[in-house]
Amino acid sequence: MKIGRTAVIAVALLAVTVTLAAAPTPGGKSGGRLPDTGTSATDLKLGSRQAPVDGAHGSDSQPKGVPYAEGVIPSGTDSIHVVRRSTSGKHFSAVGVNWRKTQDSTISVAIRTKLDKKAKWSSWHATTAEETGGTGDRDGTGLLWTGPAVAADIAVTSVRGELPTEVRASLIDPGRRAEDTAQRQPEITLKAGSNDKVKLPIRTRAAWGANEKQMTWKPQYAPKVQAVVIHHTATTTDYSADQVPAILRSIYQYQAIDRGWGDIGYNIIVDKYGQAWEGRAGGVDKPVIGAHAEGFNTGTAGITLIGNYVTSKPTSQALDTLAKAIAYKLGPPKIDPMGTISLTGGPGPRYAKGATVKVPTVIGHETVGRTACPGKNLDAALPDLRKRAKALLSV
């Protein structure tokens, strides 16, 4: 979301405290492994400051210590409006917040959680609304991976523009699978056409446990891939290798169901350990139209790195795999990773419908959207990624 110039700023803040049942102990009393479980989500309806729902109540003071996202700095003349709600529910490991689309708004979301009822609150995680590329009538944050938790405190703050309404929080339990920790995920190795130098080992949708019954989007295809758009998921970088499949199931639930996109938005997903994962359905070897860069999804491949690279730096393993993924997607159509391309797209956050823009063939999401994605630290790595991808494609 773009940050407005100094103006009379209306601020509406929504805060929610959620108390949930404790997570089960692995093995239970019998000491055996708990059975596999599917993904589930608890949908919390907040309404708005003007019309709170389901027991939420409002006040005119901001909760002490609640931060704003980076770049969101309200002035001393702003009015603060708060709505708070407590509720019970199920165990969760990820949180996403969304609301009906707004016009020209700057919105900050802060979330903290508790591992159990006796634990102290975690530190706050603050983020802005995350512009990706799905269609529909709702805006929202990227998904925050919290790890196992039983309570959440959520604050949604509008600093400029139209105030959010029909605010909802999705608390997602990605479920359990033996394969998540047993490292049995199916893996295939892809080549960029006939180029044996570019080999991309990638784990399939089955590897991370995509529930194909949840997918309501029928794959669509562009004539070819003309450019690659690099993203970050804006989730935490504090995760283990065993947690990655659960993180992907959580992102899938949030984007396909809660945001209404019908499937996960990214074509390829990379974790900080350097493992690549198949994202959007339709064939990772094909020019599948994703939902990652609104207005410029057709003819681009969306490759995302799990984590928040505004605050963290990408690992060397992740950068190695990103370079291979870029080369893999640009190799068959013979697109120069260090070249430029004219893309016609829109409408979107930055460009009107039918706009033609000349951009590098490997760009960060912020080039075509009003967003902090892929984060300043990953954005700084793009020049080197272009060079490395080109070297991989050179024979």
Side-chain angles (χ1 to χ4, degrees):
M1 278 296 173
K2 65 181 180 182
I3 307 301
R5 297 181 179 178
T6 302
V8 178
I9 302 176
V11 179
L13 186 146
L14 299 111
V16 182
T17 300
V18 184
T19 304
L20 299 133
T25 301
K29 293 182 180 180
S30 66
R33 184 181 66 80
L34 287 173
D36 291 357
T37 61
T39 303
S40 62
T42 301
D43 185 27
L44 304 177
K45 296 180 180 179
L46 285 71
S48 66
R49 170 63 184 91
Q50 305 93 316
V53 298
D54 290 351
H57 63 277
S59 68
D60 294 326
S61 61
Q62 183 176 7
K64 184 178 179 180
V66 175
Y68 291 97
E70 184 174 349
V72 180
I73 307 174
S75 70
T77 60
D78 299 331
S79 59
I80 306 295
H81 304 288
V82 182
V83 61
R84 184 179 290 270
R85 174 190 166 191
S86 296
T87 187
S88 61
K90 298 180 180 179
H91 162 76
F92 66 95
S93 294
V95 180
V97 182
N98 61 93
W99 51 87
R100 183 167 289 279
K101 274 187 178 292
T102 59
Q103 297 296 320
D104 197 30
S105 297
T106 299
I107 297 173
S108 173
V109 177
I111 301 173
R112 62 178 181 173
T113 59
K114 281 186 178 183
L115 177 64
D116 57 57
K117 292 181 179 180
K118 296 182 179 180
K120 294 182 179 179
W121 284 109
S122 69
S123 58
W124 287 97
H125 174 90
T127 185
T128 56
E130 185 65 18
E131 292 175 351
T132 48
T135 58
D137 62 354
R138 299 191 69 80
D139 291 327
T141 65
L143 191 72
L144 172 64
W145 175 258
T146 65
V150 299
D153 190 9
I154 304 169
V156 180
T157 307
S158 175
V159 179
R160 180 176 182 271
E162 185 181 356
L163 303 184
T165 60
E166 298 181 23
V167 179
R168 298 200 303 254
S170 182
L171 280 65
I172 298 172
D173 179 358
R176 298 181 302 272
R177 296 191 319 148
E179 291 87 345
D180 290 351
T181 56
Q183 300 300 316
R184 300 175 189 159
Q185 296 95 344
E187 183 179 85
I188 57 177
T189 299
L190 304 171
K191 293 195 303 180
S194 60
N195 191 330
D196 287 332
K197 289 184 65 178
V198 184
K199 295 181 179 181
L200 179 67
I202 189 167
R203 297 188 188 274
T204 65
R205 286 169 63 90
W208 53 265
N211 180 357
E212 303 299 4
K213 293 181 180 179
Q214 288 184 310
M215 192 184 74
T216 59
W217 173 83
K218 184 178 180 180
Q220 298 173 353
Y221 299 91
K224 67 177 182 179
V225 172
Q226 296 178 286
V228 167
V229 183
I230 301 296
H231 303 261
H232 70 167
T233 59
T235 58
T236 180
T237 49
D238 183 16
Y239 58 88
S240 68
D242 289 344
Q243 288 177 318
V244 172
I247 292 173
L248 295 180
R249 292 196 297 274
S250 298
I251 295 173
Y252 179 47
Q253 165 73 32
Y254 184 57
Q255 294 185 348
I257 305 301
D258 300 312
R259 298 296 296 276
W261 300 349
D263 194 3
I264 200 165
Y266 313 110
N267 300 103
I268 296 176
I269 301 158
V270 177
D271 64 42
K272 68 179 182 180
Y273 302 99
Q275 177 62 62
W277 303 80
E278 180 184 12
R280 202 159 177 85
V284 71
D285 58 332
K286 297 179 175 63
V288 176
I289 298 173
H292 59 93
E294 187 176 358
F296 293 89
N297 287 315
T298 301
T300 65
I303 303 175
T304 193
L305 181 57
I306 299 175
N308 186 331
Y309 296 96
V310 172
T311 55
S312 301
K313 292 185 177 181
T315 64
S316 58
Q317 301 99 308
L319 292 173
D320 286 344
T321 302
L322 283 172
K324 292 177 183 177
I326 292 167
Y328 173 74
K329 294 305 293 185
L330 296 183
K334 298 182 179 179
I335 302 295
D336 183 356
M338 293 185 66
T340 59
I341 192 78
S342 291
L343 297 176
T344 299
R350 188 177 289 274
Y351 296 101
K353 183 177 180 179
T356 298
V357 295
K358 188 175 183 179
V359 297
T361 54
V362 180
I363 58 175
H365 183 195
E366 82 288 346
T367 300
V368 291
R370 297 189 184 279
T371 175
C373 178
K376 60 186 179 183
N377 293 313
L378 185 51
D379 202 53
L382 291 182
D384 183 59
L385 286 173
R386 294 180 185 114
K387 291 179 182 178
R388 293 166 68 172
K390 184 178 180 67
L392 286 170
L393 291 173
S394 299
V395 179

